[in-house]
Amino acid sequence: MKSVTIIVPCYNEEAVLEKLYARLDTVLNSLDSYRFEVLFVNDGSSDNTLTVIKSLHQRDSRISYLDFSRNFGKEMAMVAGLDHADSDAVVLMDADLQHPPEMIRDMLIYWEQGYDDVYTKRKNRLDEGVIKRNITEAFYNILQKVSRIDIQKNVGDFRLLDRRCVNSLRLLRESQRYTKGMFSWVGYKKKEVLFQCEPRAAGQTKWNYFSLINLAIEGITSFTTLPLKIASLLGSFISIIAMLFMGWIILNTLLYGDPVQGYPTLMTTILFLGGIQLIFLGVIGEYLSRIFNESKNRPLYIINEYNGRKVTYRARTERDREYLDE
Ligand code: UDP
Ligand code: MG
């Protein structure tokens, strides 16, 4: 019997979990040729999410859970889920029922046909305003143009991954993650299925414009160094213009004896160049901060509890190593 783990990151989702469970239950019961595990990852919720998950865990043996020691973000919740799933395939889905559980049936059909990564593509986004939609659209267009790997538009994290994809994804341990790009990066045989993105069943979205902008920067800086190249190119271009302009000023003065003038020109030029320099200093800083964060080499998340068992980490100190060498 093939086993499938459904990973559900949850952050303050107490209002939807029962609804999600009811719908998942129906779907999973109808697919009796698989062994299912539903792995909830409680991402440091401040409401009663963990209590609800625990009561589901008591009721249904298919349900297991991980509890983070604090909020680490959805990306990390997904990593933890992938790390702890040892089934033949996993399905990643949101807790808020925007990802209809009924789709799992279709995903499994394609998986059986030999696809390793069955991803879903939104037909529309009912719950989002025009502004957010346009911004997202523009962002993907840019990202697509500047990065070498293919990053699909309107494709979220709702997908089925074969064990081979999961194991490959586990090898990617960077702390600043743009998971969507990683699915493309690991490759494998992909299949697209369309779905109608439903409005959130209850509770509130955890995203705001700031986090969207952050995600955009994350996406660009983790998959391309193009901004750095733009800095060099723009720098060279401005230098050439400046040389030409200098030549023109010298000639003008020699030939026509033009008196020195142009406080406004001077001011705009200085400010313009100052601005450009600061922008690209920021761009360099963005990459530098990534190196800084990665070089710390910290674990990606800390687990407090796994299926009711408190987790204690083994400290890796110099002393441990001494004893192990003996
Ligand atoms: N989520 C999480 N940690 C966070 C923020 C969100 O695990 O810090 C989960 C959340 O519980 C949900 C999923 O990620 O299951 C998607 O979040 P949300 O619905 O708020 O995002 P949206 O669908 O609006 O993009
Ligand atoms: Mg949502």
Side-chain angles (χ1 to χ4, degrees), residues 9-11 13 41 43 71 73-74 77 94-96 98 132 200 204-207:
C10 310
Y11 177 53
E13 301 284 9
V41 185
D43 185 12
N71 178 254
K74 185 189 174 188
D94 285 1
D96 56 6
Q98 281 187 299
K132 186 174 172 191
R200 196 170 231 291
Q204 274 183 352
T205 176
K206 280 93 205 170
W207 291 99

Side-chain angles (χ1 to χ4, degrees), residues 36-315:
F36 286 102
E37 179 198 11
V38 182
L39 176 58
F40 288 105
V41 185
N42 177 36
D43 185 12
S45 304
S46 52
D47 63 358
N48 283 322
T49 301
L50 185 62
T51 322
V52 180
I53 293 176
K54 278 183 177 168
S55 88
L56 292 174
H57 172 69
Q58 300 268 306
R59 226 183 301 164
D60 189 334
S61 61
R62 290 172 300 186
I63 290 182
S64 49
Y65 68 91
L66 282 167
D67 178 39
F68 278 2
S69 61
R70 65 168 170 87
N71 178 254
F72 280 89
K74 185 189 174 188
E75 307 285 323
M76 296 311 165
M78 288 194 292
V79 189
L82 294 175
D83 286 347
H84 287 79
D86 37 31
S87 39
D88 300 308
V90 308
V91 173
L92 292 168
M93 67 183 291
D94 285 1
D96 56 6
L97 283 171
Q98 281 187 299
H99 298 159
E102 292 73 28
M103 291 290 298
I104 295 174
R105 213 171 280 141
D106 303 348
M107 292 173 162
L108 287 170
I109 293 172
Y110 287 115
W111 179 48
E112 294 292 353
Q113 289 175 7
Y115 291 100
D116 299 301
D117 177 356
V118 186
Y119 63 89
T120 59
K121 186 170 179 163
R122 275 183 298 268
K123 273 190 231 153
N124 65 343
R125 312 190 68 157
L126 292 176
D127 63 322
E128 285 168 357
V130 191
I131 306 176
K132 186 174 172 191
R133 204 162 51 222
N134 282 328
I135 292 179
T136 332
E137 183 83 4
F139 166 63
Y140 279 113
N141 286 336
I142 295 172
L143 195 59
Q144 191 74 74
K145 289 214 177 75
V146 299
S147 70
R148 244 169 281 152
I149 56 159
D150 193 32
I151 292 165
Q152 301 108 337
K153 214 187 295 178
N154 277 336
V155 173
D157 304 312
F158 185 30
R159 57 175 74 216
L160 179 143
L161 298 163
D162 184 79
R163 186 205 216 110
R164 299 195 299 153
C165 289
V166 175
N167 285 359
S168 308
L169 282 167
R170 282 188 192 172
L171 298 175
L172 312 183
R173 301 313 287 182
E174 58 247 58
S175 60
Q176 288 188 294
R177 304 176 77 86
Y178 185 66
T179 315
K180 244 180 258 194
M182 291 180 172
F183 296 129
S184 307
W185 189 89
V186 295
Y188 291 111
K189 207 170 152 200
K190 295 185 190 300
K191 175 74 189 171
E192 177 178 296
V193 281
L194 289 176
F195 82 109
Q196 185 89 30
C197 190
E198 288 164 34
R200 196 170 231 291
Q204 274 183 352
T205 176
K206 280 93 205 170
W207 291 99
N208 49 36
Y209 281 106
F210 186 68
S211 54
L212 276 180
I213 291 171
N214 259 343
L215 190 71
I217 294 179
E218 203 68 56
I220 290 175
T221 49
S222 60
F223 278 96
T224 170
T225 48
L226 188 81
L228 295 174
K229 287 190 191 110
I230 293 179
S232 324
L233 288 176
L234 194 67
S236 324
F237 177 71
I238 291 178
S239 303
I240 293 171
I241 300 280
M243 295 286 238
L244 294 177
F245 186 54
M246 196 171 74
W248 181 75
I249 290 176
I250 292 174
L251 277 183
N252 213 16
T253 316
L254 288 181
L255 296 179
Y256 306 108
D258 213 16
V260 179
Q261 47 156 287
Y263 173 75
T265 344
L266 209 60
M267 234 16 223
T268 33
T269 315
I270 290 175
L271 289 179
F272 171 70
L273 288 182
I276 297 258
Q277 279 166 356
L278 284 181
I279 289 173
F280 283 107
L281 211 54
V283 172
I284 296 172
E286 200 57 51
Y287 285 95
L288 190 69
S289 78
R290 304 181 69 81
I291 300 175
F292 170 67
N293 282 328
E294 296 303 340
S295 68
K296 291 196 238 174
N297 213 359
R298 292 194 178 168
L300 300 180
Y301 51 83
I302 301 283
I303 293 170
N304 174 45
E305 198 179 313
Y306 182 29
N307 285 338
R309 225 182 50 242
K310 288 244 186 292
V311 173
T312 313
Y313 286 87
R314 192 170 294 131

